[in-house]
């Protein structure tokens, strides 16, 4: 059974289902779908999902409290003048891999934050570290491929001991050394947090005002 046949069968079943419904039931179904879509849209809006998916503003990263130290250290580093979080932490070789990685990594971060399972001191996983090093090489291509030739290896080769990762030497780039909420307790006040998108009436309902 091919995909076209399967879709046609599902389409037929759906129309048969609708034909058996009364007018009132159809109206109720439309209203229910509208409520579900509306609540889902509100949920994604309150999560500032639009800033994660299509935005490129580093301030979006500090929607999670745990990211405040990293935003603060980046904002006072040399990289803050010319780079954003996505320039280093997301693949930039093509638009498909860029948004695929950004979406998967972003949802993983949301899951960690919502379940309070994030570490006090965050370290890049292998997949992220590989992306970061690829971006180091991409931005500093002339320096590390023509002058010193360190950019001729990738992260996985460095992990196998066949060379060094960029940060094995440049340990303070771009977030200084180990930092966490406990080591930078005032980080969330160094840079202003982005304003909350939650409407005033909803904040009153939630008891925040």
């Amino acid at each position: 059974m091919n995909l076209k046949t399967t879709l046609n069968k599902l389409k037929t079943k759906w129309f048969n289902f609708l034909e058996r419904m009364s007018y009132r039931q159809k109206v109720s179904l439309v209203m229910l779908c509208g409520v579900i879509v509306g609540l889902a849209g509100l949920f994604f809006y309150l999560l500032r999902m639009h800033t994660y998916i299509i935005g490129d503003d580093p301030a979006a990263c500090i929607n999670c409290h745990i990211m405040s130290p990293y935003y603060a250290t980046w904002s006072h580093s040399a990289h803050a003048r010319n780079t954003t979080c996505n320039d280093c932490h997301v693949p930039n070789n093509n638009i498909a891999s860029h948004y695929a990685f950004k979406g998967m990594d972003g949802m993983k971060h949301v899951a960690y934050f919502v379940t309070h399972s994030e570490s006090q001191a965050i370290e890049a996983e292998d997949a992220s570290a590989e992306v970061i090093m690829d971006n180091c090489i991409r931005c500093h291509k002339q320096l590390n491929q023509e002058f010193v030739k360190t950019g001729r290896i990738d992260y996985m080769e460095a992990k196998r001991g066949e060379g060094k990762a960029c940060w094995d030497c440049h340990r303070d780039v771009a977030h200084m050394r180990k930092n966490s909420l406990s080591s930078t307790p005032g980080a969330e006040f160094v840079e202003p947090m982005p304003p909350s998108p939650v409407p005033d009436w909803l904040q009153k309902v939630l008891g925040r005002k």
Side-chain angles (χ1 to χ4, degrees), residues 42 45-48 195-204 206 208-209:
L42 178 62
Y45 175 68
L46 294 180
L47 282 178
R48 299 191 182 109
S196 173
V198 182
D200 288 342
W201 65 268
L202 185 54
Q203 291 198 43
K204 290 179 181 178
L206 297 173
R208 294 182 180 177
K209 278 195 172 183

Side-chain angles (χ1 to χ4, degrees), residues 30-163:
V30 171
M31 292 177 64
L32 178 62
C33 291
V35 170
I36 293 173
V37 171
L39 289 175
L42 178 62
F43 176 72
F44 284 120
Y45 175 68
L46 294 180
L47 282 178
R48 299 191 182 109
M49 194 64 70
H50 54 288
T51 65
Y52 307 140
I53 297 174
I54 61 175
D56 207 33
D57 184 0
C61 295
I62 54 173
N63 287 334
C64 294
H65 176 62
I66 187 67
M67 297 307 295
S68 299
Y70 305 93
Y71 180 78
T73 50
W74 163 83
S75 66
H76 292 280
S77 73
H79 279 71
R81 293 195 296 267
N82 300 302
T83 62
T84 65
C85 304
N86 290 328
D87 289 324
C88 296
H89 293 276
V90 176
N92 288 286
N93 53 335
N94 64 70
I95 193 168
S97 62
H98 178 91
Y99 283 104
F101 187 91
K102 188 177 183 181
M104 290 187 294
D105 212 45
M107 290 309 298
K108 184 166 60 177
H109 290 176
V110 170
Y112 285 150
F113 181 66
V114 170
T115 58
H116 300 287
S117 56
E118 72 276 2
S119 302
Q120 271 284 317
I122 298 176
E123 292 186 1
E125 298 176 352
D126 283 345
S128 293
E130 190 167 7
V131 167
I132 295 168
M133 186 159 167
D134 285 345
N135 282 322
C136 291
I137 295 169
R138 176 181 60 85
C139 282
H140 302 283
K141 185 174 182 179
Q142 184 179 26
L143 171 64
N144 59 32
Q145 288 194 1
E146 295 180 15
F147 296 162
V148 294
K149 299 184 179 180
T150 54
R152 296 187 182 277
I153 66 167
D154 60 22
Y155 171 73
M156 298 312 294
E157 289 175 313
K159 190 175 181 182
R160 291 195 298 267
E162 298 174 14

